[in-house]
Amino acid sequence: MVVGIAIESGDDGGAMQDYQFLTEFLLILVVSTVVAISFERFKLSSILGFLITGVIIGPNGLGLIKDPARIGQMAELGVVLLMLTIGLEFSVARFKRFQNTAILGGTLQIVLSIGISMFFPWMRRHSLYEGFVLGSVIALSSTAIVLKYLIDRGELDTHYGRLSVSILIVQDLAVLPLMIFMNSFGGAGTSLVLALEKAVLKTAVLIGAVIIFSRFVLPHLLHQVALIRNREIFFLTSVVICLGTACFSASLGLSLAIGAFFAGFMFANTEFGHQLFGEIIPFRYVFVSIFFVSIGLLFDPHFMADNFVLVTGVVGMVLLVNFVVMTFIILLFGFPLRIAMATGIILSQIGEFSFLLIETARQKGGIDPFLYQVLLSAAFLTMFLTPFLFLLVPAVLKISEKVALFGVSPLRWKKDRDDSARSLQNHVIICGFGPSGRDLAMTFREENIPTMIVEMNPPKIKEARSQGFRVVYGDAANEAVMRRAGIARASHLESGERRR
């Protein structure tokens, strides 16, 4: 009744537009679901299916989606949510081990990619601005594809997994200065130095606010919320904090996605991060599918067919340059050949933020429509080919692990996984630290049996830790929490609730 009254009293055109948007959104979800099921049945990457879905139903295919701009808004939301989950996946402990390689190596990779691309204007008689755009676009790899690949294969905690994600974070953070350069080079009368000073100041304000909030406010706030012991309230509070951080970043002139990443990063460095990660995961895949479908909507197969040789040449150049540059840089930091080559393959594609740079350059009028379509087609095809390139990683690891380079023996890197992630083996997980759980933990300790406790009550967590037990905050029904507790390596699972 309320809906009917609202429609009758409102504007018919606006109601029709909202209805059309919901129809298109439902169409995307339906087709994506069917394609994903089909691709999974044939053991193919669902990302390929989402990309193909966009091409088929887009304006250059069957024309079922006539307004890609609106879908682009959903794609932006997908990137924001994706960056939030990336932040939740990556704590300080994970980043610290490779921080020097990530910061220095990631920066060097971007500079080298841009430098190599500066030969493009000389060869093709284009402007230096177009060469800079080309270098910036190919320098950014796909966080969405790489992270999904590493998580699905359980390789996030390998050396090349952590190294790849660390470098990806540096690349994602480089989007802002690259956009500033593009805007400054593309416009007249704009001071590049002034623009960079403003960017550095805004970034410093954001990072400073994040550090202060995460250290002095967030832990105490989450502790008080956790005392309520209500999953819905905890999740709602977490979403408010994450969206607030993203909006604060946007208010500074930075992107929503960067703010969302820092929000996730804040939670990852608290004991509550795994609970939030488990709550968000079901939503992430919906918006990630929307994001990849939206990329497929941009692809023009007719342009690809008319310029097949040129586009495939650019794709080959991008994959080769990214692989060689990244492999070379990783070797410079003393990593063995197998790690360097695996990282080079994983980071060889063009990423999702490259589409943002391409669109920025087009709006500034710095690149012509032909180059715009070439870059869009190349970015789409490198993403499409990436799942097939990932199939080469196991073979590369197996072959190159026998090769010593720069005096580094591959035997030193035989075990790729972080020892801390496997510090507990054949342990017992106790769900709850009530009276029964406390008795069980004491009994297992007397028998020298390692234990891990899963608990949501902060006072009980404090009590357990004061007695020297390992504790994970969260609900035992949360898959991410149980993975954190090492459920795959545990020998038994016990309930710590009171028995009657």
Side-chain angles (χ1 to χ4, degrees):
M1 181 67 67
V2 175
V3 175
I5 293 174
I7 293 178
E8 289 177 2
S9 61
D11 179 72
D12 291 340
M16 288 299 296
Q17 289 180 359
D18 292 339
Y19 175 76
Q20 184 180 0
F21 174 77
L22 292 175
T23 302
E24 293 178 349
F25 183 66
L26 178 61
L27 174 65
I28 289 177
L29 292 181
V30 170
V31 178
S32 298
T33 301
V34 173
V35 171
I37 293 174
S38 302
F39 273 62
E40 287 293 336
R41 179 167 296 179
F42 291 100
K43 306 299 181 182
L44 297 173
S45 172
S46 58
I47 290 178
L48 297 178
F50 297 146
L51 291 171
I52 293 175
T53 298
V55 176
I56 294 175
I57 67 177
N60 298 308
L62 299 178
L64 300 179
I65 304 295
K66 300 183 182 301
D67 189 2
R70 289 187 298 187
I71 304 303
Q73 295 175 351
M74 297 303 301
E76 184 178 2
L77 181 58
V79 174
V80 169
L81 191 59
L82 179 68
M83 292 300 290
L84 172 61
T85 56
I86 291 172
L88 286 169
E89 280 276 7
F90 217 75
S91 62
V92 171
R94 267 185 172 165
F95 186 75
K96 192 173 182 179
R97 185 171 185 181
F98 298 113
Q99 61 181 351
N100 292 333
T101 305
I103 295 174
L104 298 179
T107 303
L108 180 60
Q109 178 259 337
I110 293 173
V111 172
L112 285 178
S113 296
I114 294 175
I116 293 174
S117 299
M118 285 300 180
F119 286 99
F120 172 75
W122 176 74
M123 295 173 60
R124 303 285 301 178
R125 295 183 180 179
H126 285 273
S127 66
L128 287 176
Y129 180 81
E130 290 174 324
F132 178 81
V133 171
L134 174 62
S136 301
V137 167
I138 69 175
L140 304 180
S141 304
S142 176
T143 305
I145 294 179
V146 171
L147 193 66
K148 187 177 188 304
Y149 166 80
L150 294 174
I151 292 176
D152 290 348
R153 294 178 60 90
E155 297 177 359
L156 188 61
D157 283 322
T158 60
H159 283 292
Y160 58 84
R162 292 192 175 190
L163 195 57
S164 298
V165 177
S166 300
I167 293 174
L168 282 168
I169 290 175
V170 174
Q171 291 180 355
D172 292 342
L173 293 176
V175 172
L176 176 64
L178 290 176
M179 289 183 65
I180 292 173
F181 269 84
M182 286 187 181
N183 285 321
S184 300
F185 287 169
T190 304
S191 172
L192 178 60
V193 175
L194 179 60
L196 287 176
E197 289 178 349
K198 290 182 178 179
V200 171
L201 178 61
K202 291 177 180 178
T203 305
V205 170
L206 175 63
I207 294 176
V210 166
I211 292 175
I212 294 174
F213 182 78
S214 62
R215 177 166 296 185
F216 300 107
V217 180
L218 185 61
H220 303 290
L221 175 61
L222 293 180
H223 179 80
Q224 294 302 316
V225 174
L227 287 173
I228 303 175
R229 301 182 65 184
N230 185 297
R231 289 177 56 183
E232 289 78 12
I233 295 178
F234 175 84
F235 180 69
L236 180 61
T237 304
S238 302
V239 170
V240 169
I241 294 173
C242 293
L243 292 180
T245 306
C247 290
F248 177 69
S249 172
S251 68
L252 293 174
L254 309 178
S255 70
L256 285 169
I258 292 177
F261 165 77
F262 278 112
F265 196 74
M266 287 192 302
F267 274 92
N269 291 281
T270 69
E271 59 183 334
F272 308 96
H274 296 281
Q275 176 69 22
L276 177 60
F277 181 78
E279 299 284 357
I280 284 181
I281 278 294
F283 300 97
R284 181 182 68 167
Y285 293 112
V286 173
F287 289 101
V288 167
S289 65
I290 294 294
F291 170 73
F292 283 109
V293 170
S294 70
I295 291 178
L297 292 172
L298 298 174
F299 180 68
D300 187 352
H302 305 293
F303 179 87
M304 170 67 188
D306 294 338
N307 301 275
F308 179 79
V309 176
L310 174 62
V311 174
T312 53
V314 173
V315 169
M317 180 197 71
V318 168
L319 295 175
L320 180 62
V321 169
N322 281 341
F323 171 74
V324 172
V325 169
M326 187 55 65
T327 301
F328 174 73
I329 290 175
I330 300 303
L331 288 174
L332 284 182
F333 282 89
F335 288 89
L337 181 63
R338 62 191 303 269
I339 302 298
M341 293 184 67
T343 306
I345 293 174
I346 291 173
L347 300 180
S348 61
Q349 76 290 131
I350 293 177
E352 50 273 0
F353 283 112
S354 295
F355 289 90
L356 180 61
L357 298 181
I358 295 172
E359 187 63 26
T360 300
R362 185 190 68 81
Q363 292 177 357
K364 293 294 295 184
I367 59 175
D368 59 64
F370 183 82
L371 179 58
Y372 172 76
Q373 286 295 335
V374 169
L375 293 178
L376 277 182
S377 300
F380 173 87
L381 290 175
T382 59
M383 281 188 166
F384 187 85
L385 293 173
T386 296
F388 300 106
L389 294 176
F390 284 161
L391 298 177
L392 300 175
V393 173
V396 168
L397 291 173
K398 185 175 181 180
I399 295 174
S400 58
E401 69 180 359
K402 301 178 181 179
V403 180
L405 198 63
F406 300 131
V408 179
S409 172
L411 296 177
R412 286 176 47 195
W413 303 85
K414 194 70 175 178
K415 295 181 179 179
D416 279 342
R417 297 187 180 277
D418 183 28
D419 293 336
S420 63
R422 293 178 167 265
S423 58
L424 284 180
Q425 297 282 348
N426 299 319
H427 59 291
V428 177
I429 299 177
I430 302 176
C431 301
F433 197 67
S436 298
R438 190 182 303 107
D439 293 341
L440 284 171
M442 292 296 184
T443 301
F444 288 131
R445 172 182 283 177
E446 292 174 358
E447 298 295 329
N448 293 322
I449 298 175
T451 60
M452 175 67 77
I453 297 168
V454 178
E455 178 60 72
M456 285 191 67
N457 192 335
K460 291 183 179 179
I461 292 176
K462 184 177 180 180
E463 178 187 355
R465 286 177 175 165
S466 67
Q467 297 179 22
F469 293 107
R470 301 189 184 198
V471 188
V472 172
Y473 171 85
D475 189 345
N478 190 314
E479 182 181 351
V481 172
M482 296 307 291
R483 283 203 307 267
R484 173 64 174 172
I487 186 65
R489 304 183 303 275
S491 60
H492 292 84
L493 180 66
E494 297 285 348
S495 173
E497 299 298 322
R498 185 181 297 276
R499 297 171 180 171
R500 299 181 181 180

